[in-house]
C-alpha cells in the first residue's frame, strides 16, 4: 500500500523538470522522458524546491530530493559504513562502503539484492495514479527490482530479459499477474532486449519506462550519494562504481551537485567496466566502440549495455568531465578474486559488478591513480544474494512468454509480433 508523502502531493509536485540543453522547464506528469524542443539529445534534470530535509528511515528518508508523489512504507535504503580492514588490504586509510543488497547484520534488506531496488521504487513513486503499462528491458537486476516492486504495489509492467537473466530472478513470494516477463531464448543479449522494448513501447496502453532518460531512475540511484554524505559528514573525494549505462553514476553526480556546500569539490567519478566488453571505456579513452561479438564474455552481464548515454547532454561524458573522472576496467579473473576478497574480509557475498568495481579500485591504488589517504566511497551495487537464498524460501519467476529469438535483423520484430499475439489472446480470454 502506497501513501502520499505529507509534503509531496499529486498535483503539487515539489520539483520542476529542466532540460540540460535548452533550459526549458516542465511541470511533471510522472511520465515525461524528453524535452519537446528540437535540439541535440539531452537529459531532463530535476530541480527541487526548498531544502534537503530528511524524515523517517529507509529509501524515502530522502523524499524531498526524489521526484515522487507517493512513498511506499518499509522500503530500505543503502547501508553506508567505514571499511577499515578492507581498506588496509587495499592500501587505503579512508575507504567507505555503500552496501546495496541483503545483509541483515548490517541492516541491509534490499529485497532483490541490488541497488536497482532504489530506482524501481522511485520510478513507481513518480507515476500518475493510472499509469500505462511500463515496458522495461533488463539484463536481470533491473527486471527483478521492477518485478517485485510492481508485484507489491500492483503496477502493470512488461519486462524483457535475455534467457540467462531468468536464473537470478527469485523472489520472497510469487509475482502478481500484472507483471509480465518476456524471456528472449537463444543468443539474445541485453542490447537485443533494449531493441525489442523500443518496439513494444509503441503498443496501445504501453510506454517505455525510459531507462537513464527517466529522472526517477537517476535520482533514486542518487540516494546512495545522499546516504553516504549523511553517514560520512561530507561528500567523498572519489566515488567508485561499476557501470553498464552509467545511470547510477550520473545519479550520484547529480545528487552531489545538489547537496554540496559552497565551493566543496564534486566527487571524482571512477567508473568501472568488465573487459572484454567495455563500451564506456572505449568511448572515453579512444572514441571507439566495443566489439559487439564479445558481449557474451564478461562475468558481469549486467554491465553489458551496448548503447550507454555517453554523448547526450547531462550524460556520462559530461559527468566525467565535470568531476575530473575516469573509466577503468577489470577482467573476469580480477573480478572473481575481488569477490572472494570481499567475502573473506566482510563475510558477505557480492555480485560480479561489485567485484569489477573492487578489482578496478585495487588496481588504481597499485598504479597510483588513487592516493592512499583519499576519502573514497565504493558503491557495492549488489550483494548478499547467496546469503538471502540460504535465509529465505525464494520463488523462481515464471515467464509470461518465452519468445524464440531469431538471429539477425528480424529478431526484435519477430518478438514484438509474438508478444502482440499473446496480448491479444490474453485480452480475448479476459473478455469471455
Amino acid at each position: 500500500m502506497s501513501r502520499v508523502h505529507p509534503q509531496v502531493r499529486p498535483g503539487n509536485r515539489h520539483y520542476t523538470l529542466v532540460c540540460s540543453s535548452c533550459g526549458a522547464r516542465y511541470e511533471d506528469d510522472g511520465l515525461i522522458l524528453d524535452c519537446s524542443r528540437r535540439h541535440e539529445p539531452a537529459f531532463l534534470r530535476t530541480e527541487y524546491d526548498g531544502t534537503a530535509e530528511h524524515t523517517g528511515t529507509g529509501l524515502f528518508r530522502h523524499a524531498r530530493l526524489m521526484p515522487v508523489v507517493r512513498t511506499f512504507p518499509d522500503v530500505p535504503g543503502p547501508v553506508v559504513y567505514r571499511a577499515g580492514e578492507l581498506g588496509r588490504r587495499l592500501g587505503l586509510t579512508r575507504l567507505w562502503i555503500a552496501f546495496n543488497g541483503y545483509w541483515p547484520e548490517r541492516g541491509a534488506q534490499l529485497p532483490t539484492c541490488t541497488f536497482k531496488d532504489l530506482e524501481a521504487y522511485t520510478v513507481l513513486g513518480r507515476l500518475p495514479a493510472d499509469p500505462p503499462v511500463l515496458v522495461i528491458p533488463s539484463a536481470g537486476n533491473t527486471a527483478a527490482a521492477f518485478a517485485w516492486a510492481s508485484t507489491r504495489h500492483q503496477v502493470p509492467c512488461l519486462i524483457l530479459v535475455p534467457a540467462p537473466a531468468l536464473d537470478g530472478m527469485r523472489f520472497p513470494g510469487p509475482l502478481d499477474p500484472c507483471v509480465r516477463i518476456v524471456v528472449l531464448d537463444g543468443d539474445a543479449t541485453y542490447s537485443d532486449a533494449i531493441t525489442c522494448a523500443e518496439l513494444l513501447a509503441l503498443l496501445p496502453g504501453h510506454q517505455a519506462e525510459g531507462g537513464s532518460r527517466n529522472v526517477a531512475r537517476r535520482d533514486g540511484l542518487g540516494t546512495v550519494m545522499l546516504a553516504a554524505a549523511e553517514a560520512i559528514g561530507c561528500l567523498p573525494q572519489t566515488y567508485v562504481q561499476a557501470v553498464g549505462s552509467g545511470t547510477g553514476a550520473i545519479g550520484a553526480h547529480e545528487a552531489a551537485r545538489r547537496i554540496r556546500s559552497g565551493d566543496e569539490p564534486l566527487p571524482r567519478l571512477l567508473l568501472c567496466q568488465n573487459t572484454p566488453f567495455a563500451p564506456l571505456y572505449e568511448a572515453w579513452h579512444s572514441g571507439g566502440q566495443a566489439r559487439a561479438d564479445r558481449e557474451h564474455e564478461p562475468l558481469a552481464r549486467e554491465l553489458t549495455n551496448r548503447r550507454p548515454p555517453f554523448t547526450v547532454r547531462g550524460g556520462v561524458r559530461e559527468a566525467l568531465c565535470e568531476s575530473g573522472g575516469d573509466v577503468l576496467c577489470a577482467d573476469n579473473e580480477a573480478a572473481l578474486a575481488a569477490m572472494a576478497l570481499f567475502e573473506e574480509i566482510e563475510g558477505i557475498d557480492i555480485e560480479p559488478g561489485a567485484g569489477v568495481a573492487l578489482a578496478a579500485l585495487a588496481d588504481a591504488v597499485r598504479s597510483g591513480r588513487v592516493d592512499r589517504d583519499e576519502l573514497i566511497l565504493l558503491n557495492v551495487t549488489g550483494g548478499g544474494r547467496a546469503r538471502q537464498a540460504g535465509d529465505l524460501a525464494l520463488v523462481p519467476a515464471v515467464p509470461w512468454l518465452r519468445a524464440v529469438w531469431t538471429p539477425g535483423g528480424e529478431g526484435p520484430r519477430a518478438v514484438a509480433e509474438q508478444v502482440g499475439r499473446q496480448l491479444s489472446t490474453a485480452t480475448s480470454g479476459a473478455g469471455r
Side-chain angles (χ1 to χ4, degrees):
M1 185 70 179
S2 67
R3 63 170 178 256
V4 175
H5 193 273
Q7 293 178 298
V8 184
R9 300 190 301 277
N12 185 27
R13 295 183 185 243
H14 63 299
Y15 63 92
T16 301
L17 301 181
V18 183
C19 177
S20 297
S21 176
C22 70
R25 303 173 69 83
Y26 298 90
E27 182 178 340
D28 192 20
D29 64 1
L31 296 170
I32 298 173
L33 298 175
D34 300 296
C35 180
S36 61
R37 297 182 180 178
R38 296 184 62 180
H39 50 60
E40 63 187 327
F43 282 153
L44 296 174
R45 286 175 170 161
T46 41
E47 184 177 291
Y48 292 97
D49 304 334
T51 59
E53 59 195 47
H54 307 303
T55 57
T57 60
L59 174 63
F60 291 102
R61 173 174 174 75
H62 304 286
R64 289 299 298 172
L65 290 180
M66 300 169 70
V68 294
V69 291
R70 60 186 54 79
T71 62
F72 304 98
D74 306 320
V75 179
V79 170
V80 181
Y81 68 95
R82 189 163 186 170
E85 179 57 28
L86 181 61
R88 282 189 287 274
R89 289 286 289 271
L90 297 180
L92 297 169
T93 62
R94 296 195 295 167
L95 175 65
W96 288 73
I97 299 290
F99 187 87
N100 293 280
Y102 179 83
W103 192 359
E105 291 82 1
R106 285 279 185 188
Q109 295 280 354
L110 289 177
T112 66
C113 299
T114 78
F115 79 154
K116 298 298 186 178
D117 287 315
L118 309 179
E119 67 180 4
Y121 281 99
T122 309
V123 168
L124 299 194
R126 180 188 172 218
L127 291 173
D130 187 21
V133 178
L134 293 182
V135 181
I136 306 160
S138 172
N141 290 338
T142 295
F146 273 94
W148 185 243
S150 296
T151 287
R152 289 193 65 199
H153 301 289
Q154 302 291 293
V155 178
C157 60
L158 180 65
I159 296 171
L160 293 98
V161 296
L166 192 63
D167 295 338
M169 296 182 67
R170 298 165 63 86
F171 303 96
L175 297 180
D176 189 88
C178 72
V179 176
R180 291 170 167 170
I181 297 174
V182 177
V183 174
L184 307 181
D185 279 329
D187 291 330
T189 65
Y190 177 26
S191 299
D192 296 323
I194 293 173
T195 304
C196 291
E198 290 171 348
L199 291 176
L200 292 171
L202 302 176
L203 292 172
H206 292 64
Q207 174 167 314
E209 177 274 327
S212 57
R213 293 152 56 213
N214 191 325
V215 293
R217 272 226 198 179
R218 303 199 308 272
D219 291 5
L221 296 175
T223 59
V224 172
M225 184 65 75
L226 303 180
E230 190 175 8
I232 299 170
C234 62
L235 289 172
Q237 292 174 282
T238 300
Y239 173 83
V240 184
Q241 186 201 310
V243 293
S245 68
T247 303
I250 299 168
H253 180 71
E254 291 177 338
R257 290 178 61 183
R258 292 187 187 104
I259 64 173
R260 67 170 169 171
S261 57
D263 58 355
E264 185 180 14
L266 291 168
R268 175 173 61 133
L269 300 182
L270 292 184
L271 312 186
C272 312
Q273 293 215 286
N274 188 186
T275 55
F277 185 74
L280 283 172
Y281 180 88
E282 297 294 341
W284 176 248
H285 287 280
S286 67
Q289 294 184 333
R291 286 173 47 188
D293 63 345
R294 309 204 72 175
E295 194 168 347
H296 286 285
E297 298 181 37
L299 175 71
R301 294 285 181 88
E302 65 270 27
L303 307 183
T304 55
N305 188 320
R306 198 184 301 168
R307 296 185 291 168
F310 183 67
T311 58
V312 61
R313 283 294 297 272
V316 175
R317 182 172 63 185
E318 190 172 295
L320 285 168
C321 290
E322 287 182 354
S323 71
D326 200 358
V327 185
L328 313 176
C329 270
D331 61 22
N332 291 347
E333 184 178 1
L336 285 168
M339 293 167 69
L341 175 67
F342 194 95
E343 188 163 11
E344 173 197 335
I345 294 174
E346 301 295 335
I348 194 75
D349 60 285
I350 60 173
E351 295 291 283
V356 167
L358 178 57
L361 174 59
D363 182 64
V365 175
R366 287 191 294 267
S367 65
R369 284 175 289 181
V370 170
D371 294 334
R372 66 184 306 273
D373 294 325
E374 280 186 50
L375 177 55
I376 294 172
L377 177 65
L378 171 64
N379 186 349
V380 173
T381 48
R385 196 183 299 272
R387 172 65 188 278
Q388 187 192 55
D391 286 357
L392 306 177
L394 300 175
V395 179
V398 177
W400 175 71
L401 173 66
R402 298 198 76 117
V404 178
W405 179 252
T406 305
E410 290 304 310
R413 191 164 301 280
V415 169
E417 290 173 355
Q418 292 178 67
V419 171
R421 288 193 297 270
Q422 188 80 354
L423 286 172
S424 297
T425 300
T427 302
S428 300
R432 288 198 293 269

